[in-house]
Amino acid sequence: MGKINILDKHVAELIAAGEVVERPSSVIKELVENSIDAGATAVTVEIKNGGVTFMRVADNGCGILREDIRPAFVRHATSKVRVEDDLDAIATLGFRGEALASVSSVSHLELITKAREEEVGTRYLIEGGEEISLNDAGCPDGTTFIIRDLFYNVPARMKFLKTDMAEGNAVSNVIDKIALSHPEIAITYIRDSKQALHTSGDGKLLSAIYAVYGREFANALIPVDYTLGGVRVSGYLSRPEKARPNRNMQNFFINNRFVISKTAMAAISEACKGSVMVGKFPSCVLNIELSYNAVDVNVHPTKLEVRFVNERPVFDAVYHAVKTALQNGEKRIEVTANKPQTRINPFELAQKVFRERDEQPVVPKAPLKKQPLKDNSDELLRLLDEPVETPKAQPQVLTVSDSAPTVADRYKEHIEAKRAEASAPAKPTDPAPAEPVNAEVSAPILPSEPQQPAEPAPLIETDDNSYRYIGEAFKTYIMIEKNPRELLLIDKHAAHERIIYEKLKKDKGSGYSQLLLTPITVTLNKIDYAAVMSEPEVFSQAGFDIDDFGSGTIIIRSAPQYLPLDEIESSVIEMAGYLSENKKEIRSEKMDWIYHNVSCRAAIKGGNVSTDEELIALAKQVEDEDVRHCPHGRPVCVVVKKREIERWFGRV
Ligand code: ADP
Ligand code: MG
């Protein structure tokens, strides 16, 4: 007997379903895209348990005619493409007529729909690809899909699902991208009975950005709109000083579909040279519009990375769009009028708004169109500008261990040192009494008296050796004479970095944290945010006290000692990006990376001004603890033998 079997219809369906339906977020993506194609102006998405047990997508679009319902669930059935000429559109837009067939074969699916031209709606039930019932239903114009128990009949796929939290986060991420690419659609997203996002659908990209990423982010953007060679690039770019340590907040859309485009990323980086610090990346929400036949049709539609038939025009358009925007960017844009101070706690306000909203019934009872979704964002914007007392989230009392300086103190010191350096020669702290300028004083040709010998350089006492601190070369290398035989050159940054690293590692961050005078909030994309929230102890073990601040934002209340204020945010963003990319790594490896990151940022930098006391203390620690290499393996201390120096000068 031959070995080849024809798979039965059911098995074939399950295999095919796997290509389109991978996890709840892919179902949501397909369903919401269908709603958009149906001309909906309002879409509500609801999930429970990460979408695994329950997903609902309701729209006010054109609805499905009763006679079209059964065909819609047949594989390769689509109302959107008819002729072969449309094949390009199939490849680029994903009109393959597969989504409903796939989803219905691996779930319990309920469809409630009414086409405008029909009197009465329909309720259709289909389970594991088998029709259960088709009945009349009283319902508004539009379509609601309810998907329950995804993969109930495919245990192998079920096993590959991650935690409800992770699956839900993936859905949130999809919703964010759709909201950003369709500001003309009012999107409401409810996750486990809580409203997680609402966009007004006013057609303004800035409103959508505000809803997704929050006020602070939306307030620091530069508009972009530029057309070159048939490619239009429009949207927003973050101001250069708001650039972040990774590209995780760069959002690109091709013809309003979210994509990953290396070309666009490269073009932005190139355009930002000279405006943005090396190693930093501006955030952006950019839509690239071009004709469909310019996009590589070989790319699988559910894959995110796109290639262009010709990359050059896209690169050039993005490059010039960003360059021009940066030049025009001096004019600051604001979501709301520029008020001197925000005196309301946006977190509380958002909660209040959401709480009120949550009290509304979740399933719309009346037609979506007749009961338009209430837009709260204007209310939110207005309230945000109203003066109210101090935000509650900010700690009122600052408690710090008495010995250690606060980060703020260190920062102030650092700034003062910089200023002093800039106004060199150093002025005495106490202004000297003004003396009449006299010729003798101002123009001595030779010193009348021999110069007072300089104070002997301090000694560093150790057990059996004495060390003489000579000074600092190039604002980087501490010079120490060790006994009569050796000269030590210590790289102050490498030494400090190593010492901080060891301390963080030894004490697991405890005793290394300092309360911030004003907590810092950081907005992350949903994937990085989820990574942070799933491993908050990674942060506490590095000396950070972080907390959830809602909708993709975290609040930092304490940070490691010595970490300058302006490094805290980028350090956390970088750590979050690292965690989301290296989920599988074992904890000790993650911690090691994080200790590196923090110690490198917290250590005094070569080229910065340091006091002699600081340098002496550092040199002493290097000798006491026998520190020889920085955490990256570069040397901390180089020893030059006296004999070696004597040889240079031909003395021996
Ligand atoms: P495709 O989107 O590629 O056409 P789908 O399987 O996603 O394939 O959908 C099949 C058909 O079902 C669509 O072509 C459309 O006619 C109909 N349909 C699906 N969802 C909706 C909706 N929300 N509103 C109106 N029609 C829909
Ligand atoms: Mg579809």
Side-chain angles (χ1 to χ4, degrees):
M1 201 174 120
K3 286 182 183 166
I4 296 175
N5 299 317
I6 306 288
L7 296 173
D8 77 28
K9 177 177 165 279
H10 180 60
V11 176
E13 278 294 331
L14 292 183
I15 292 171
E19 289 171 14
V20 183
V21 181
E22 208 184 315
R23 52 196 301 202
S25 62
S26 40
V27 174
I28 293 291
K29 178 173 175 287
E30 294 289 340
L31 294 183
V32 178
E33 281 175 356
N34 280 345
S35 296
I36 294 168
D37 295 338
T41 56
V43 179
T44 299
V45 176
E46 183 182 1
I47 62 163
K48 285 180 183 159
N49 302 109
V52 182
T53 59
F54 181 90
M55 291 183 263
R56 180 174 67 93
V57 175
D59 68 48
N60 63 354
C62 65
I64 308 176
L65 287 168
R66 180 169 294 187
E67 65 185 89
D68 283 339
I69 291 179
R70 287 188 181 112
F73 287 87
V74 173
R75 195 164 296 281
H76 305 306
T78 173
S79 59
K80 297 165 196 172
V81 197
R82 289 195 188 278
V83 285
E84 214 173 310
D85 286 354
D86 288 345
L87 276 177
D88 274 359
I90 299 179
T92 43
L93 293 173
F95 294 154
R96 295 167 307 148
E98 283 191 301
L100 295 190
S102 297
V103 176
S104 63
S105 70
V106 293
S107 67
H108 297 142
L109 188 149
E110 180 179 350
L111 163 67
I112 302 152
T113 186
K114 180 173 133 16
R116 271 169 219 143
E117 51 271 55
E118 286 183 328
E119 280 296 300
V120 66
T122 309
R123 181 161 174 269
Y124 182 70
L125 293 182
I126 175 167
E127 294 186 351
E130 299 297 326
E131 177 178 320
I132 304 291
S133 62
L134 189 152
N135 298 311
D136 281 359
C139 60
D141 290 350
T143 305
T144 296
F145 279 96
I146 297 172
I147 319 291
R148 291 190 174 88
D149 310 320
L150 186 66
F151 298 139
Y152 78 99
N153 54 350
V154 204
R157 290 228 146 238
M158 180 77 119
K159 224 171 54 198
F160 275 103
L161 290 179
K162 301 195 177 110
T163 59
D164 288 358
M165 171 70 108
E167 294 300 338
N169 289 330
V171 172
S172 304
N173 202 44
V174 163
I175 301 286
D176 278 357
K177 307 295 185 203
I178 292 174
L180 290 174
S181 54
H182 290 280
E184 77 287 3
I185 299 177
I187 293 176
T188 305
Y189 170 49
I190 301 156
R191 182 175 173 180
D192 294 318
S193 308
K194 287 202 182 63
Q195 180 175 283
L197 181 74
H198 174 70
T199 63
S200 66
D202 67 2
K204 295 189 184 116
L205 177 56
L206 200 54
S207 307
I209 295 176
Y210 186 101
V212 172
Y213 290 133
R215 174 197 175 97
E216 217 178 295
F217 186 90
N219 259 341
L221 297 173
I222 305 171
V224 177
D225 196 348
Y226 196 88
T227 306
L228 182 74
V231 182
R232 179 174 176 212
V233 179
S234 62
Y236 291 91
L237 181 78
S238 71
R239 303 181 61 80
E241 71 273 15
K242 293 278 176 183
R244 301 160 80 97
N246 57 35
R247 290 195 171 94
N248 297 2
M249 289 282 263
Q250 292 193 341
N251 299 285
F252 297 102
F253 301 88
I254 306 283
N255 298 336
N256 292 322
R257 280 191 172 227
F258 178 70
V259 293
I260 291 168
S261 165
K262 297 226 167 87
T263 303
M265 285 179 182
I268 287 208
S269 291
E270 199 57 32
C272 287
K273 272 191 184 156
S275 308
V276 172
M277 264 166 71
V278 176
K280 294 253 181 174
F281 306 92
S283 313
C284 67
V285 179
L286 288 183
N287 188 28
I288 303 167
E289 289 164 79
L290 38 74
S291 77
Y292 278 115
N293 53 25
V295 183
D296 186 349
V297 293
N298 292 320
V299 173
H300 195 276
T302 60
K303 295 253 162 48
L304 288 177
E305 188 163 344
V306 299
R307 264 171 237 112
F308 302 99
V309 174
N310 186 357
E311 305 276 345
R312 191 77 223 179
V314 176
F315 182 95
D316 289 348
V318 174
Y319 175 87
H320 289 289
V322 170
K323 205 82 193 160
T324 311
L326 286 171
Q327 277 157 12
N328 300 337
E330 314 308 297
K331 220 171 72 229
R332 196 191 169 105
I333 55 149
E334 295 279 347
V335 172
T336 54
N338 198 4
K339 291 274 168 70
Q341 223 186 344
T342 315
R343 275 163 289 184
I344 192 167
N345 179 351
F347 181 52
E348 277 184 359
L349 176 68
Q351 282 207 322
K352 178 176 161 279
V353 173
F354 291 168
R355 223 178 295 125
E356 284 167 5
R357 210 168 240 296
D358 283 346
E359 281 154 15
Q360 294 170 5
V362 159
V363 181
K365 296 211 172 80
L368 273 170
K369 265 183 89 186
K370 287 184 193 140
Q371 195 188 57
L373 292 160
K374 201 174 141 238
D375 172 18
N376 271 342
S377 56
D378 282 347
E379 186 188 340
L380 198 65
L381 292 181
R382 186 175 53 75
L383 285 172
L384 280 171
D385 267 354
E386 276 177 18
V388 189
E389 315 82 62
T390 330
K392 233 214 212 125
Q394 301 198 354
Q396 308 290 314
V397 202
L398 182 73
T399 43
V400 191
S401 73
D402 43 13
S403 60
T406 63
V407 175
D409 285 342
R410 299 243 348 145
Y411 188 61
K412 245 168 62 195
E413 260 174 49
H414 170 73
I415 295 294
E416 273 161 18
K418 275 209 140 157
R419 289 215 183 104
E421 188 200 3
S423 57
K427 282 184 241 134
T429 355
D430 297 312
E435 271 182 29
V437 180
N438 110 19
E440 270 174 7
V441 177
S442 58
I445 292 165
L446 286 168
S448 47
E449 276 181 301
Q451 290 267 274
Q452 276 286 317
E455 242 180 74
L459 291 178
I460 308 168
E461 302 294 348
T462 58
D463 297 342
D464 50 350
N465 287 323
S466 73
Y467 295 77
R468 197 164 66 87
Y469 168 73
I470 300 174
E472 187 187 14
F474 314 118
K475 289 196 201 133
T476 302
Y477 306 102
I478 310 169
M479 295 187 294
I480 304 283
E481 185 187 303
K482 180 180 177 183
N483 271 341
R485 290 182 305 276
E486 288 173 344
L487 177 68
L488 308 186
L489 293 174
I490 297 169
D491 179 324
K492 69 177 178 185
H493 170 74
H496 198 204
E497 185 179 353
R498 179 76 200 198
I499 287 160
I500 295 174
Y501 171 85
E502 292 298 340
K503 193 154 169 33
L504 277 173
K505 198 167 164 173
K506 188 163 143 267
D507 302 337
K508 292 214 160 39
S510 74
Y512 219 71
S513 193
Q514 298 233 327
L515 205 59
L516 299 172
L517 196 57
T518 312
I520 297 173
T521 53
V522 179
T523 302
L524 301 165
N525 73 27
K526 294 293 188 294
I527 292 174
D528 292 1
Y529 170 70
V532 172
M533 290 334 298
S534 67
E535 291 187 279
E537 60 284 1
V538 165
F539 287 80
S540 61
Q541 287 184 17
F544 291 91
D545 172 11
I546 58 151
D547 218 337
D548 191 1
F549 203 57
S551 359
T553 301
I554 55 173
I555 181 161
I556 308 163
R557 296 205 166 83
S558 309
Q561 272 179 44
Y562 304 123
L563 195 60
L565 269 183
D566 53 350
E567 298 258 352
I568 294 172
E569 183 177 355
S570 42
S571 182
V572 167
I573 293 171
E574 216 169 83
M575 285 162 70
Y578 169 82
L579 287 180
S580 70
E581 272 159 37
N582 298 277
K583 287 197 195 81
K584 300 230 171 67
E585 230 167 63
I586 54 167
R587 173 58 59 82
S588 63
E589 269 174 39
K590 286 184 197 172
M591 287 319 302
D592 205 53
W593 186 92
I594 281 166
Y595 292 149
H596 272 141
N597 183 299
V598 171
S599 55
C600 184
R601 287 170 182 276
I604 41 172
K605 309 275 180 293
N608 282 5
V609 178
S610 315
T611 64
D612 286 349
E613 291 72 34
E614 264 180 304
L615 296 178
I616 289 166
L618 205 53
K620 184 165 157 44
Q621 255 177 308
V622 167
E623 275 308 288
D624 287 354
E625 292 165 27
D626 203 22
V627 179
R628 284 294 172 262
H629 295 279
C630 82
H632 304 287
R634 280 189 288 110
V636 162
C637 176
V638 171
V639 181
V640 186
K641 297 261 190 279
K642 188 179 173 206
R643 279 189 71 81
E644 174 75 13
I645 298 175
E646 284 172 340
R647 220 173 294 130
W648 298 343
F649 292 97
R651 284 177 176 268
V652 287

